Amino acid sequence: MAKGNGTFRIGTGAGFSADRLDPAVDLARRGALDVMVLECLGERTVAFAHRDRMADPRRGYNTLLERRMRALLAPCREAGTVIITNMGAANPRAAAERTRDVAHALGLSGLKIACIEGDDVSGRLGNDQPFMDEPGTLADIGRPVVGMNAYLGADAIIPALQAGADVVIGGRLADPSMFLAPLMHHYGWQNSDLAALGAGTLVGHLMECGMQITGGYYADPGTKDVPDLAQCGYPLAEVAADGSAVITKLPGTGGCVNEATVKEQLLYEVHDPAAYLTPDVTADFSRVKLKDLGHDRVRVSDAGGRARPEKLKVTVGFDAGVLAEAGVSYAGPAAGARGRLAAGIVDARLKETHKIKSPLRVDLIGAGSLFATAGKTRNDSEDVRLHVALRTTNRDEAELMLWEVESLLCCGPAGGGGYRGVITPAVETKSILIARGLVKPTVEIFVT
Amino acid sequence: MIVRGRNERLLVRDIAHARAGDKGNTSNVNIWVNDPEDFELLKRSVTPERIKKEFPKLVRGKVTRYVIEHLHGLNLVMGEALEGGVNASLNLDSHGKSWSYLILGLTLDTGESATSSER
């Protein structure tokens, strides 16, 4: 492999489950990539995927898998680019089979699709397992568990690469590990090369959220202007043998890569910058050096690494009933006063008339919602929306809440309009730890 | 370095940029100054004590501040700060993604009558 002047080229083709596809196709075609990673799994998405699988054993993988594979398999094959993804979610086997079907339909023969399993550790742990970062144990959940997935690291992915896979599909593959594994495989880094593992993990961490490092989720007009965000390009890392890298994007794409975009991603969802825990290494980002080379190129180096955590993290997902949301809008003079009156009515009807005790929240969008608990509200808005949210395991309560909000159209304050209501299934997740010996990843290769 | 007129009320957003992330019920916001000369002003203005004082109902747990001296940035890690976290919160923004702008909306401690402009 290795297509770029001695560097190894990794691109991101998705940074979350619903990420864009067309810029990924562009990167696959023009990026001369060794590897494209599609990171599509979060703590909640894996739990939802388990629910999908329970409803239909043929599902439970990323709902965009077929579309993504239809668009990416051919250009990646043509460029000799290996695809690595956790789109398998709760059902990597079905995802690999669907990918094989797509490859057949595209007339791609001899394609090797690796399916990594073994992250699902349901039934392998006792009920006395303590939660990772809060009091309590699994026994306290008291709701049906829908799935338990251990985070698999690079050591679960490397055997698939050694087997010559063109596409690697897993479930709960840790985000940075999908970038680190091909680097370890290509450069021959061992588990004892802690600095290299730290460096490769930094590359993975910076790249795993896709456009969050190329100008996406960054723009703030007037202070942080980003060119052509509508056509933002996915990131591309040119990684050297020591793990240092240049983060960039394709010429002709929108967005930008500069020191500021890299910094915001450097500590995104990081707590202690000197101890970023992954299945592979305890990475140290606290002394990372950044150098803006201009032309949307930033050099990153000097990440460190210490021994990996002894145990693996497990996400436990369980059924949490539903989230019900409903709203009505008020505009014009005294809109805020009418909205507040409506809020009081809904609160009284639900709690007093209907005796609902489930967690309920009433916001006034435009006068204070996101920052309401932080104490930041305003009273001068002439365009507010009542937003009512209820979490409940009782479907009747959810439907009653929607009904009460809709009834404001005739029974509430003057001038209310634009009722909408929606009930969505909810999952909750908790984290626990598992001994590495209890997790046994497997690889199976499907050939088209 | 930021140049200010007398009595002008400056916000953290005038000298810095930030991004928020969530893990469980813990929120972290990383904050970076645009000009290294403003780093001391940022450090003075965004302290764990100040966060606890400004948002007592929202930030219920411990606040830890990591200083990344050579990159002129701070990482605020705020425990019990997400109204239960993404799965339990009834806030429209259950990830607390907008908490970055909660921090960027703080007034700067410019040394003179800064506290009098706070609500």
Side-chain angles (χ1 to χ4, degrees):
Chain A
M1 292 197 279
K3 302 184 171 61
N5 304 323
T7 64
F8 191 76
R9 296 167 68 85
I10 308 183
T12 306
F16 80 110
S17 57
D19 218 340
R20 280 185 195 150
L21 180 53
D22 54 290
V25 176
D26 187 29
L27 184 54
R29 286 193 180 130
R30 295 200 288 135
L33 300 178
D34 293 295
V35 170
M36 171 173 272
V37 174
L38 293 102
E39 197 293 292
C40 296
L41 208 56
E43 293 194 343
R44 270 154 35 97
T45 32
V46 70
F48 277 116
H50 277 289
R51 289 179 57 119
D52 292 347
R53 184 182 183 169
M54 278 192 270
D56 179 349
R58 294 165 301 175
R59 313 286 309 180
Y61 51 84
N62 184 279
T63 52
L64 293 168
L65 174 109
E66 281 111 326
R67 275 178 194 236
R68 289 195 168 115
M69 291 301 180
R70 261 201 302 277
L72 292 171
L73 283 182
C76 283
R77 174 139 223 223
E78 192 166 327
T81 301
V82 173
I83 295 174
I84 302 177
T85 182
N86 51 17
M87 275 195 286
N91 200 349
R93 177 163 297 265
E97 288 168 357
R98 289 301 86 71
T99 302
R100 184 187 57 192
D101 297 344
V102 171
H104 276 307
L106 292 170
L108 300 173
S109 61
L111 200 72
K112 285 185 178 173
I113 301 160
C115 169
I116 300 176
E117 292 179 296
D119 58 313
D120 189 341
V121 294
S122 309
R124 232 168 285 175
L125 289 166
N127 248 353
D128 55 345
Q129 293 296 316
F131 296 137
M132 205 172 112
D133 34 29
E134 58 191 308
T137 68
L138 283 184
D140 299 325
I141 287 180
R143 297 282 307 165
V145 169
V146 295
M148 291 171 79
N149 294 77
Y151 281 77
L152 301 183
D155 51 6
I157 302 169
I158 288 170
L161 300 172
Q162 287 169 337
D166 300 296
V167 183
V168 179
I169 300 176
R172 186 56 282 179
L173 307 178
D175 305 357
S177 306
M178 292 193 286
F179 296 82
L180 178 61
L183 288 167
M184 290 176 73
H185 175 62
H186 177 72
Y187 285 124
W189 298 342
Q190 303 301 308
N191 282 329
S192 53
D193 298 335
L194 294 172
L197 300 195
T201 297
L202 173 65
V203 171
H205 172 71
L206 292 173
M207 298 283 290
E208 75 188 41
C209 292
M211 296 177 198
Q212 281 196 188
I213 199 164
T214 53
Y217 210 65
Y218 171 81
D220 186 345
T223 66
K224 298 188 291 176
D225 291 300
V226 177
D228 202 11
L229 201 45
Q231 300 302 330
C232 194
Y234 274 117
L236 157 57
E238 303 165 358
V239 191
D242 65 352
S244 65
V246 171
I247 308 291
T248 185
K249 64 185 187 72
L250 287 179
T253 57
C256 57
V257 183
N258 56 40
E259 252 192 58
T261 68
V262 175
K263 281 178 175 177
E264 285 193 17
Q265 192 56 26
L266 176 66
L267 296 184
Y268 176 68
E269 292 184 343
V270 171
H271 291 174
D272 181 353
Y276 183 69
L277 305 178
T278 79
D280 311 306
V281 67
T282 299
D284 182 353
F285 300 160
S286 68
R287 285 161 297 163
V288 162
K289 288 190 184 141
L290 306 179
K291 188 168 171 51
D292 195 332
L293 307 173
H295 306 285
D296 294 312
R297 295 173 65 81
V298 174
R299 187 167 187 277
V300 300
S301 64
D302 291 78
R306 298 192 305 280
R308 66 189 194 180
E310 207 176 303
K311 292 184 167 184
L312 292 174
K313 181 176 164 181
V314 175
T315 297
V316 182
F318 53 99
D319 177 24
V322 295
L323 170 65
E325 294 174 281
V328 175
S329 283
Y330 300 86
R338 286 178 285 131
R340 280 190 297 280
L341 176 59
I345 294 168
V346 169
D347 196 73
R349 291 288 302 174
L350 293 175
K351 288 181 183 162
E352 290 161 30
T353 312
H354 299 300
K355 315 287 183 208
I356 288 179
K357 293 190 171 54
S358 303
L360 171 75
R361 172 166 170 151
V362 183
D363 281 310
L364 219 48
I365 298 168
S369 57
L370 272 59
F371 290 174
T373 310
K376 293 177 89 77
T377 56
R378 52 188 300 165
N379 292 315
D380 55 350
S381 175
E382 290 213 348
D383 196 332
V384 301
R385 180 165 184 81
L386 176 80
H387 180 263
V388 184
L390 176 80
R391 285 192 187 276
T392 176
T393 52
N394 178 343
R395 179 110 197 161
D396 289 344
E397 278 187 359
E399 286 171 2
L400 191 55
M401 188 279 271
L402 263 60
W403 186 5
E404 279 296 343
V405 175
E406 189 168 11
S407 77
L408 291 172
L409 293 179
C410 275
C411 317
Y419 165 81
R420 301 282 188 284
V422 62
I423 298 174
T424 44
V427 291
E428 268 199 60
T429 58
K430 300 276 185 194
S431 298
I432 57 171
L433 294 170
I434 191 171
R436 286 178 183 266
L438 291 176
V439 184
K440 296 193 167 60
T442 60
V443 177
E444 188 177 335
I445 307 276
F446 298 73
V447 184
T448 61
Chain B
M1 186 165 182
I2 195 86
V3 181
R4 63 203 151 76
R6 238 181 127 67
N7 300 324
E8 196 183 348
R9 195 162 157 271
L10 289 169
L11 304 179
V12 175
R13 182 176 175 271
D14 293 318
I15 63 164
H17 58 103
R19 178 170 294 178
D22 72 302
K23 276 209 195 296
N25 198 15
T26 302
S27 167
N28 89 288
V29 177
N30 61 63
I31 314 143
W32 314 87
V33 288
N34 303 318
D35 180 340
E37 284 193 43
D38 289 323
F39 194 39
E40 290 306 315
L41 176 57
L42 179 73
K43 281 196 276 190
R44 200 161 68 235
S45 303
V46 181
T47 62
E49 299 72 31
R50 172 118 189 252
I51 300 302
K52 290 290 287 181
K53 184 172 145 258
E54 295 273 356
F55 313 116
K57 287 185 179 158
L58 181 70
V59 182
R60 294 171 169 275
K62 188 180 169 212
V63 179
T64 306
R65 188 181 81 166
Y66 296 93
V67 180
I68 303 89
E69 201 69 47
H70 71 292
L71 296 178
H72 313 109
L74 303 176
N75 192 30
L76 278 180
V77 180
M78 301 175 282
E80 295 170 63
L82 288 170
E83 307 182 49
V86 64
N87 297 308
S89 170
L90 285 170
N91 193 308
L92 267 168
D93 177 10
S94 52
H95 289 93
K97 295 274 189 181
S98 55
W99 281 206
S100 50
Y101 279 81
L102 208 51
I103 307 299
L104 292 173
L106 290 171
T107 52
L108 288 171
D109 176 5
T110 48
E112 42 177 85
S113 70
T115 46
S116 65
S117 64
E118 288 166 20
R119 278 175 292 180

